[in-house]
Amino acid sequence: MAAEPQPKALTRKPLLLNKVEGSQEVVNMAAIVPKEDGVISVSEDRTVRVWLKRDSGQYWPSIYHAMPSPCSCMSFNPETRRLSIGLDNGTISEFILSEDYNKMTLVKNYQAHQSRVMMILFVLEMEWVLSTGQDKNFTWHCSESGQRLGGYRTSAGACGLQFDVETRHVFVGDHSGQVTILKLEQESCSLVTTFKGHTGGVTALCWDPIQRVLFSGSSDHSIIMWDIGGRKGTAIELQGHNDKVQSLSYAHHTRQLISCGADGGIVVWNMDVERQETPEWLDSDSCQKCDQPFFWNFKQMWDSKKIGLRQHHCRKCGKAVCGKCSSKRSSIPLMGFEFEVRVCDSCHESITDEERAPTATFHDSKHNIVHVHFDATRGWLLTSGTDKVIKLWDMTPVVS
């Protein structure tokens, strides 16, 4: 269960640089054009737009292209200026943008899925186009020939997608809350393992190839950090949103995770700290502090002539406790609880002020964020929302 957020005083906050408006429907995905004052966006209104900053300081479309179906996602490779666009009808359309970003030329179409394309990745090193869809399929194609190389059926509609070039592992997150790890070969794939830690669907994935850590965001409002490299299987929870997590991005140079959600929150997490796993919740028929029976323990209630109590759990030690023995609340940032959560009385006494020091900062974007893109070279963050608006932020006061 997600913690209820409490307002914190902010000393540093992102600076809103610009707003890009003009889309008729939700902007499902957008990206900052590197080394240019430009933004590429795809929208539910079927348009692909390239916005360039004019002398007036405003962004205006240098390209306005209508697609045959609503645009659900995109992938842009700056080196090749290759733009891959996923459509609601299951097609992936590939374009090459001109050097001045005033023209886009269709290269090929991939019939990748039977329904809405949820996520696309273009892998330049392998010349692969990876994609997931609502049809529960993960597929990959050769970007040179357009040929389908293979696929894998997931347990539910998949939207999270990340790829590790070094090991050729692909990470697929689906609506059941599961993350599937596959090993890709040229024309085949094999199942490596699956992770299940969320109580809601996986909505976003982010991969750190240096620390070999995978982050998964979910509709259960939480983020889980999976240590794939050093301590395999270690899972750290991060609780910082009060609505579903929509998108994740990672600043490698500072080891900070940026998460955005339907609550409009932009949370910047310091991942350069030694975090602790949250404990498993223990089962018990009576309070593990005072031995009072819980309400289903009829025998002990009868024997002790006591009314059964409701069961709670301490977020620090995981013990099953009654309300009287867990009357205190505390933040536990190193366990990912930036907001105050229930802890037993003895754990509350043991938590020091240093352990309560926050490891994240919280900022209000003032729109329901669908997707984010972070440009590390300039420290800019792009957020696109259900309000049809794209916002550009200078994150250097926070991510530095």
Side-chain angles (χ1 to χ4, degrees), residues 258-276:
I258 302 169
S259 64
C260 297
D263 56 3
I266 301 173
V267 184
V268 180
W269 305 86
N270 178 14
M271 302 311 299
D272 197 19
V273 293
E274 190 65 32
R275 293 188 176 271
Q276 303 166 18

Side-chain angles (χ1 to χ4, degrees), residues 54-277:
R54 306 303 184 188
D55 292 339
S56 64
Q58 298 301 307
Y59 286 83
W60 293 94
S62 62
I63 294 176
Y64 180 103
H65 185 87
M67 300 295 290
S69 181
C71 306
S72 52
C73 57
M74 58 168 269
S75 175
F76 178 62
N77 181 265
E79 294 178 51
T80 60
R81 298 190 307 284
R82 188 189 309 241
L83 177 64
S84 305
I85 300 163
L87 302 180
D88 196 58
N89 63 13
T91 302
I92 296 174
S93 295
E94 193 172 271
F95 297 85
I96 297 294
L97 301 185
S98 62
E99 289 188 27
D100 60 5
Y101 291 95
N102 281 308
K103 182 182 179 183
M104 55 191 287
T105 304
L106 179 66
V107 178
K108 62 173 72 71
N109 287 317
Y110 307 86
Q111 301 305 316
H113 296 276
Q114 299 301 310
S115 57
R116 188 179 180 93
V117 183
M118 298 302 294
M119 190 66 71
I120 306 170
L121 284 179
F122 170 63
V123 184
L124 180 60
E125 293 85 348
M126 279 82 181
E127 293 288 346
W128 286 349
V129 176
L130 316 180
S131 63
T132 57
Q134 276 187 343
D135 59 2
K136 303 182 182 179
N137 284 321
F138 159 74
T139 66
W140 74 104
H141 290 76
C142 173
S143 63
E144 292 184 322
S145 66
Q147 178 185 355
R148 178 186 167 113
L149 298 175
Y152 182 89
R153 189 164 179 82
T154 56
S155 58
C159 56
L161 179 63
Q162 291 286 285
F163 182 72
D164 181 52
V165 173
E166 182 183 341
T167 63
R168 295 191 181 187
H169 285 155
V170 65
F171 307 95
V172 182
D174 64 44
H175 292 313
S176 74
Q178 183 171 283
V179 178
T180 302
I181 303 180
L182 305 169
K183 170 81 171 186
L184 295 193
E185 303 298 342
Q186 186 60 31
E187 295 185 9
S188 66
C189 72
S190 56
L191 176 64
V192 177
T193 189
T194 56
F195 292 150
K196 185 68 184 287
H198 289 289
T199 57
V202 175
T203 51
L205 292 179
C206 185
W207 172 243
D208 175 11
I210 300 170
Q211 301 295 325
R212 309 205 64 73
V213 167
L214 179 73
F215 300 97
S216 59
S218 170
S219 59
D220 65 10
H221 310 179
S222 74
I223 301 161
I224 297 180
M225 181 183 81
W226 308 92
D227 191 338
I228 310 293
R231 298 178 295 166
K232 293 181 180 179
T234 301
I236 307 292
E237 276 191 64
L238 303 174
Q239 299 279 1
H241 291 275
N242 64 350
D243 206 333
K244 61 182 175 180
V245 179
Q246 298 273 49
S247 191
L248 301 169
S249 189
Y250 191 70
H252 297 274
H253 63 298
T254 56
R255 292 192 63 188
Q256 287 172 296
L257 177 72
I258 302 169
S259 64
C260 297
D263 56 3
I266 301 173
V267 184
V268 180
W269 305 86
N270 178 14
M271 302 311 299
D272 197 19
V273 293
E274 190 65 32
R275 293 188 176 271
Q276 303 166 18
E277 275 194 287

Side-chain angles (χ1 to χ4, degrees), residues 330-342:
S330 176
S331 60
I332 321 173
L334 293 181
M335 281 188 169
F337 298 113
E338 291 288 333
F339 308 130
E340 291 190 344
V341 291
R342 180 185 294 272

